[in-house]
Amino acid sequence: VIRVLLTSLRDVPQEYTYYGIPSPWLQVKTLRVLQYFGMPDDPSERKTLLEILPRVLANSQTVDNVNKNNAVHAVLFECINLVIHLEEQNDMMKQCIQLLGKFIAVREANIRYLGLENMGRLALIPEMLENIKKHQDQIILSLKDNDISIRRRALDLLFAMCDESNARVIVDELLEYLINADFAIREELALKIAIL
């Protein structure tokens, strides 16, 4: 599977590219399949995979073309999911948090949602909390989003990342948010405030 992924990243014939991205559908599928397994035991396969993943994460340039952005984001989110699954490289997970920080600040609701959801998964890894806290202001801003699913993801993420160092700020923001919160989310919000 790693060889298939490596092949899909190399120069491929024009008919296998989509808006200049070499076979993004194959990249997505191979990255997803790799999530069913752990880190390879074979040192050469491990080395190859650890060389490929940063390269895929580095190819995150978005443009004005929606179709190209969709393909880039599909590959990136699967790559981020694989990095989270493997939990091997703290540097790569930090790089994922930086990318997700950009994603939660974009206009497109689907990308913000996926960014918050994946950041929530990374918040479960204690070593990553300090990096996630750097995006706290943007996460708090997501509580004011028009989309309730984004507000729920932001609430879950704030709850997961709260500790002694930022509890007062987060609880104050949540109390302020409670005043105007949707009825559907108030009970959960009040419970989380009480726990924090």
Side-chain angles (χ1 to χ4, degrees):
V1 176
I2 295 171
R3 287 190 193 110
V4 172
L5 179 61
L6 187 59
T7 303
S8 70
L9 292 170
R10 292 191 177 142
D11 292 330
V12 296
Q14 184 63 35
E15 61 265 17
Y16 293 107
T17 62
Y18 182 74
Y19 288 92
I21 303 167
S23 53
W25 54 91
L26 184 59
Q27 290 183 54
V28 167
K29 293 294 184 187
T30 53
L31 289 166
R32 190 170 295 156
V33 166
L34 287 169
Q35 294 173 45
Y36 290 108
F37 306 101
M39 186 59 88
D41 293 329
D42 181 26
S44 67
E45 287 181 0
R46 176 186 289 260
K47 180 178 181 267
T48 303
L49 184 60
L50 292 177
E51 288 172 355
I52 292 172
L53 293 177
R55 219 174 359 156
V56 173
L57 290 172
N59 291 332
S60 61
Q61 304 303 323
T62 55
V63 294
D64 290 334
N65 188 313
V66 175
N67 292 327
K68 182 173 184 174
N69 282 343
N70 288 341
V72 168
H73 289 133
V75 172
L76 282 175
F77 278 116
E78 284 305 327
C79 186
I80 289 169
N81 286 331
L82 180 58
V83 170
I84 294 170
H85 170 74
L86 295 176
E87 285 188 31
E88 288 286 324
Q89 297 288 318
N90 281 347
D91 291 338
M92 267 195 283
M93 283 196 270
K94 290 176 186 175
Q95 187 178 2
C96 290
I97 291 171
Q98 288 175 338
L99 280 171
L100 293 171
K102 291 178 186 176
F103 291 156
I104 64 174
V106 300
R107 280 194 328 247
E108 190 176 334
N110 292 335
I111 301 300
R112 282 197 317 274
Y113 178 87
L114 290 171
L116 289 166
E117 182 179 48
N118 282 306
M119 204 175 271
R121 290 178 57 207
L122 281 164
L124 300 174
I125 304 169
E127 298 83 29
M128 296 296 112
L129 278 180
E130 288 305 315
N131 294 296
I132 292 173
K133 287 179 190 177
K134 295 175 184 173
H135 304 283
Q136 180 173 314
D137 293 337
Q138 186 62 45
I139 297 165
I140 289 172
L141 192 61
S142 296
L143 283 175
K144 296 169 179 76
D145 197 275
N146 292 333
D147 188 336
I148 190 166
S149 62
I150 291 175
R151 293 193 304 264
R152 283 185 186 272
R153 289 289 74 78
L155 175 61
D156 292 342
L157 180 52
L158 287 169
F159 182 76
M161 65 186 269
C162 188
D163 63 12
E164 293 173 4
S165 69
N166 61 0
R168 184 166 304 282
V169 172
I170 289 177
V171 170
D172 287 347
E173 286 291 335
L174 293 179
L175 284 170
E176 185 179 315
Y177 175 61
L178 182 61
I179 296 167
N180 299 322
D182 294 327
F183 183 75
I185 201 172
R186 279 189 182 170
E187 184 179 343
E188 178 184 359
L189 181 57
L191 180 63
K192 287 185 175 183
I193 291 170
I195 292 169
L196 295 177

